[in-house]
Amino acid sequence: MTKYLLIFFLLFSLASLKANSKYEEIDKQSKSVPDSLKTVEEIAEYLTLNLKNEDEKARAFYIWITHNIKYDLSKINSTFHGSYDKMVNETIELKKGVCEHYSQLFHYLCKSVGIESFVISGYTREKGSNEISELNHAWNGVEIDGDYLFIDNTFAAGYLDYRGNYIHEFSDTFFLISPKDFIRTHVPFDPVWQFLENPISHLDFKNKDFSKLNKIGSFNYKDSISANRKLDSIIQIKKKIQRIEKSGITHYLIRNYVNESEEQIETLIYDKWILTFNEINEKANKAKDEINIGIGFNNTFIDYLNKRFRNPKIGDTQIKSTIEKANLHFYRGKDQLKKLKSLLYELEYAGKSTNNLKATEKHKQELIDFIVKGENKILEVEPSILKNTDYSKRYLKTWKPLRSMVPY
């Protein structure tokens, strides 16, 4: 997972520190929630109880997060392992995190009340400088009444002082920022998340060339986002990489992000292979069970036969049923193994990782060996089932007083 770190702005005007008068009442009510509220759903419901508009709900989340979640400097170089659900729950419990924790928490709150939200990864330019930050960052995009806007909860929550200490101080400069304004300081790795009809390239951002913002473009980012959701996850990442490379790789952060995206593709390909393999493996075990059930009924028939269908007396219906079940389960399992073996030979690993390729080949050979062992068992037992099936048909067709003379 990408390491999302925090970039802090050191200087804010007095105006930026003041709350937006439009949301004054919401801000007062949203700075805290009862301690008894522990889940995203409970907190979201409490904060939006009397709110109807999407921007007001987003504002309530923004105020609560920025006033209650502190930046965790101890995790500035750490990599999170686990689900986003776990990340969000930990953020609520510990009341601290890094930029991805802020972004995911806001995203989950929005999702719980039906607001369209996105967690966007990218990088920024340091305030008052032409220098691009050396650290990744994450923020949110939101759709409010059809408009796509930006929110940066992390930057709004506080900053680092000159001694490197975190100052948890609210700055109201990062709420519902327009794409044309936001792109001047925040640039997504993937240009689709600029929410611009004429996206700037990474080279444009590096050179502080924003002339495209004044020109009419033809890129329909809304349709692109909508179409992207319908794609397979691997295809999504591949297309993302293509867009990023087309936009230009002008900084090592962009290259690292592309490399991590390619690793993500490799992981997804491997996981997809493993999923298919496990399905085949599970079905192979079920096929083996079917074969063993068939063998069990065949052994029962042999036991009946050895006792000449007496002691206790075995009726015709039971004789017929036993051999039919032997055939049903045995040949069902046999057919399944044959199909699964064919599927297994066709299952090839499409990734580039040598280690993953070796692992898949090892798993594949082990399962092939398992199936071959089952096929050998079939060859061993099938003559008995065929012979008993033939005998049972002749036996049941013969007049009962003469059945003892039916040859086996």
Side-chain angles (χ1 to χ4, degrees):
M1 183 182 293
T2 303
K3 295 179 181 178
Y4 291 100
L5 308 178
L6 176 65
I7 296 85
F8 296 93
F9 292 135
L10 297 177
L11 301 175
F12 302 106
S13 67
L14 290 176
S16 71
L17 294 173
K18 293 180 181 178
N20 190 321
S21 59
K22 176 183 176 181
Y23 302 108
E24 187 173 353
E25 192 60 34
I26 293 174
D27 292 356
K28 289 180 180 179
Q29 298 173 355
S30 303
K31 290 180 181 178
S32 64
V33 300
D35 293 338
S36 60
L37 304 183
K38 304 295 184 182
T39 69
V40 166
E41 292 76 17
E42 291 171 342
I43 293 170
E45 182 180 6
Y46 179 87
L47 290 171
T48 62
L49 186 59
N50 297 312
L51 303 179
K52 296 181 179 180
N53 299 328
E54 289 183 339
D55 66 313
E56 294 176 338
K57 294 177 182 179
R59 179 71 183 188
F61 300 152
Y62 169 75
I63 292 297
W64 181 76
I65 290 174
T66 55
H67 284 77
N68 291 275
I69 308 301
K70 296 181 180 180
Y71 196 84
D72 188 356
L73 290 175
S74 68
K75 293 183 179 179
I76 198 166
N77 289 310
S78 64
T79 300
F80 178 82
H81 297 284
S83 68
Y84 288 129
D85 288 344
K86 180 181 178 182
M87 174 187 286
V88 170
N89 290 334
E90 286 183 357
T91 307
I92 293 173
E93 179 183 358
L94 302 176
K95 296 293 189 295
K96 59 183 180 180
V98 293
C99 59
E100 192 172 8
H101 294 79
Y102 282 88
S103 302
Q104 291 292 347
L105 176 54
F106 181 83
H107 175 65
Y108 271 61
L109 287 167
C110 285
K111 187 168 63 173
S112 70
V113 297
I115 295 177
E116 188 74 271
S117 168
F118 313 95
V119 176
I120 301 171
S121 57
Y123 57 101
T124 66
R125 192 186 304 279
E126 295 180 358
K127 187 174 178 66
S129 168
N130 289 327
E131 297 298 321
I132 292 175
S133 172
E134 297 297 313
L135 305 172
N136 286 359
H137 190 46
W139 57 87
N140 294 97
V142 287
E143 181 184 359
I144 302 295
D145 299 323
D147 294 326
Y148 285 69
L149 303 165
F150 294 101
I151 294 174
D152 191 331
N153 293 277
T154 314
F155 281 11
Y159 62 94
L160 282 178
D161 66 13
Y162 69 96
R163 294 179 178 176
N165 298 314
Y166 176 67
I167 308 301
H168 189 213
E169 184 174 85
F170 176 64
S171 170
D172 196 10
T173 51
F174 302 101
F175 180 69
L176 299 185
I177 309 301
S178 72
K180 289 186 177 182
D181 289 331
F182 203 71
I183 194 61
R184 295 178 182 275
T185 56
H186 293 60
V187 57
F189 290 120
D190 183 352
V192 75
W193 300 111
Q194 293 181 24
F195 300 155
L196 292 170
E197 295 176 354
N198 196 12
I200 70 167
S201 68
H202 290 296
L203 183 61
D204 292 334
F205 185 80
K206 179 181 179 181
N207 296 332
K208 300 188 74 173
D209 179 5
F210 301 107
S211 58
K212 287 183 179 179
L213 299 180
N214 300 319
K215 299 176 182 179
I216 298 175
S218 59
F219 180 63
N220 192 326
Y221 62 87
K222 293 183 180 180
D223 284 352
S224 296
I225 292 171
S226 178
N228 191 61
R229 288 172 172 160
K230 300 174 184 177
L231 298 175
D232 172 83
S233 56
I234 294 175
I235 301 300
Q236 283 185 16
I237 300 173
K238 287 183 177 180
K239 286 187 174 293
K240 175 180 68 175
I241 291 174
Q242 291 173 357
R243 290 190 296 266
I244 294 173
E245 291 179 337
K246 185 178 180 180
S247 182
I249 299 178
T250 58
H251 195 279
Y252 77 90
L253 288 178
I254 307 172
R255 169 49 61 195
N256 289 346
Y257 184 78
V258 169
N259 290 342
E260 289 169 358
S261 297
E262 289 173 342
E263 289 174 4
Q264 188 179 8
I265 290 175
E266 196 70 34
T267 299
L268 288 172
I269 291 174
Y270 181 69
D271 289 346
K272 188 175 183 179
W273 189 95
I274 289 295
L275 179 63
T276 303
F277 174 83
N278 286 341
E279 290 175 352
I280 295 175
N281 184 60
E282 182 179 357
K283 290 178 180 179
N285 279 289
K286 288 182 179 179
K288 177 188 174 184
D289 291 341
E290 284 288 319
I291 292 169
N292 286 333
I293 291 172
I295 292 173
F297 279 110
N298 186 61
N299 289 337
T300 298
F301 180 87
I302 292 174
D303 183 59
Y304 292 162
L305 179 63
N306 289 336
K307 295 178 179 179
R308 299 182 181 276
F309 305 109
R310 295 195 295 268
N311 299 321
K313 183 178 180 181
I314 307 300
D316 288 3
T317 300
Q318 190 169 349
I319 293 172
K320 182 180 179 182
S321 174
T322 300
I323 199 63
E324 284 180 347
K325 287 178 180 179
N327 278 270
L328 173 66
H329 291 285
F330 183 83
Y331 285 105
R332 180 189 290 168
K334 178 183 177 181
D335 291 343
Q336 287 175 347
L337 274 189
K338 182 179 179 181
K339 293 176 182 177
L340 292 172
K341 188 178 181 181
S342 177
L343 288 174
L344 192 57
Y345 277 122
E346 294 174 359
L347 182 61
E348 298 293 342
Y349 179 67
K352 299 177 181 179
S353 168
T354 302
N355 290 336
N356 287 348
L357 177 60
K358 289 180 179 178
T360 57
E361 288 178 341
K362 179 176 180 292
H363 293 321
K364 187 173 176 178
Q365 188 58 53
E366 288 174 349
L367 186 52
I368 288 174
D369 292 343
F370 174 83
I371 291 177
V372 169
K373 186 176 180 180
E375 289 175 333
N376 291 336
K377 186 69 174 178
I378 289 171
L379 292 174
E380 178 185 334
V381 175
E382 190 170 23
S384 174
I385 291 180
L386 290 173
K387 185 175 183 180
N388 289 334
T389 301
D390 175 69
Y391 175 77
S392 67
K393 289 179 180 179
R394 290 186 288 109
Y395 179 84
L396 293 173
K397 286 180 180 179
T398 302
W399 186 38
K400 289 185 178 182
L402 300 178
R403 283 180 176 178
S404 60
M405 301 174 62
V406 175
Y408 184 71

